């Protein structure tokens, strides 16, 4: 069973460890393979600025990922999933799919008409995952010199 702990100063080390099992993602997203605690603190500040909620995902009490979302994206004012990251050692077991489907159900119950996400254009693994989850591209853009695809799924 998944449980969610709101990110805070006491979860920084756990979050850093989740990120650092995903070196390829870190390289794509941050241009470096390893993040430091200061990077996570900066992400927490960005989360506050964007008014998103961020959680450490636990499975049977074991931290295994991070979920971050907001109800009003800056570009479209729609619900958006800003991050779903699973610790590398737990990938390939259907956990990301199950976490996402639980999140989607929660969004439906709360009246969200759709969910939007932005995926790095060169993150082929993520693009395939989100496509399999029913997301379709509606936009393409460059932000901070990186190309993104904006995807959405109607609920």
């Amino acid at each position: 069973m998944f449980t969610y702990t709101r990110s805070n100063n006491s979860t920084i080390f756990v979050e850093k460890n989740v990120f650092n099992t995903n070196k390829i993602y870190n390289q794509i997203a941050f241009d470096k393979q390893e993040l430091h605690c200061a990077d996570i603190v900066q992400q927490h500040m960005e989360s506050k600025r964007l008014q998103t909620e961020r959680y450490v995902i636990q499975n049977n009490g074991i931290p295994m990922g991070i979920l971050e979302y907001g109800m009003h994206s800056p570009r479209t004012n729609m619900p958006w999933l800003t991050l779903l990251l699973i610790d590398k050692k737990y990938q390939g077991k259907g956990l990301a799919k199950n976490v996402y489907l639980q999140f989607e159900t929660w969004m439906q119950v709360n009246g969200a008409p759709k969910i939007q996400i932005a995926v790095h254009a060169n993150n082929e693994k993520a693009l395939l995952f989100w496509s399999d989850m029913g997301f379709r591209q509606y936009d393409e853009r460059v932000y901070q010199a990186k190309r993104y695809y904006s995807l959405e799924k109607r609920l």
Side-chain angles (χ1 to χ4, degrees):
M1 179 175 162
F2 300 115
T3 56
Y4 301 86
T5 302
R6 185 82 184 244
S7 290
N8 58 52
N9 288 340
S10 68
T11 64
I12 291 171
F13 186 74
V14 169
E15 292 177 60
K16 177 184 72 93
N17 288 343
V18 170
F19 273 99
N20 287 339
T21 67
N22 290 281
K23 295 187 183 309
I24 293 171
Y25 174 75
N26 289 348
Q27 190 66 49
I28 291 170
F30 306 106
D31 297 319
K32 57 185 177 182
Q33 292 188 359
E34 188 170 311
L35 300 187
H36 302 282
C37 288
D39 297 312
I40 305 304
V41 169
Q42 185 176 10
Q43 289 179 29
H44 284 194
M45 291 172 21
E46 182 73 358
S47 176
K48 283 181 185 176
R49 186 183 74 75
L50 294 171
Q51 299 178 346
T52 60
E53 295 189 30
R54 183 174 171 128
Y55 296 89
V56 172
I57 307 162
Q58 296 181 4
N59 189 15
N60 296 318
I62 299 168
M64 46 85 56
I66 303 166
L67 174 80
E68 184 176 337
Y69 71 94
M71 295 306 291
H72 305 282
S73 72
R75 293 180 67 224
T76 63
N77 201 34
M78 294 301 298
W80 58 319
L81 182 60
T82 60
L83 180 67
L84 175 56
L85 186 66
I86 302 297
D87 186 305
K88 184 114 176 134
K89 66 183 163 227
Y90 301 111
Q91 292 177 12
K93 302 176 188 321
L95 295 173
K97 179 180 180 178
N98 290 333
V99 167
Y100 171 72
L101 291 174
Q102 191 176 47
F103 172 75
E104 181 179 288
T105 298
W106 184 84
M107 295 298 277
Q108 287 173 323
V109 166
N110 285 284
K114 59 183 156 182
I115 300 171
Q116 297 180 330
I117 58 175
V119 179
H120 291 88
N122 59 341
N123 191 343
E124 294 173 13
K125 186 176 177 183
L127 289 168
L128 180 60
F129 174 81
W130 292 115
S131 176
D132 288 347
M133 292 295 100
F135 282 80
R136 300 295 172 250
Q137 182 179 337
Y138 71 91
D139 193 16
E140 180 178 337
R141 66 189 173 101
V142 175
Y143 177 73
Q144 295 183 342
K146 294 183 184 284
R147 191 165 54 109
Y148 293 86
Y149 296 133
S150 297
L151 310 174
E152 69 181 12
K153 180 178 182 180
R154 296 197 180 278
L155 302 180

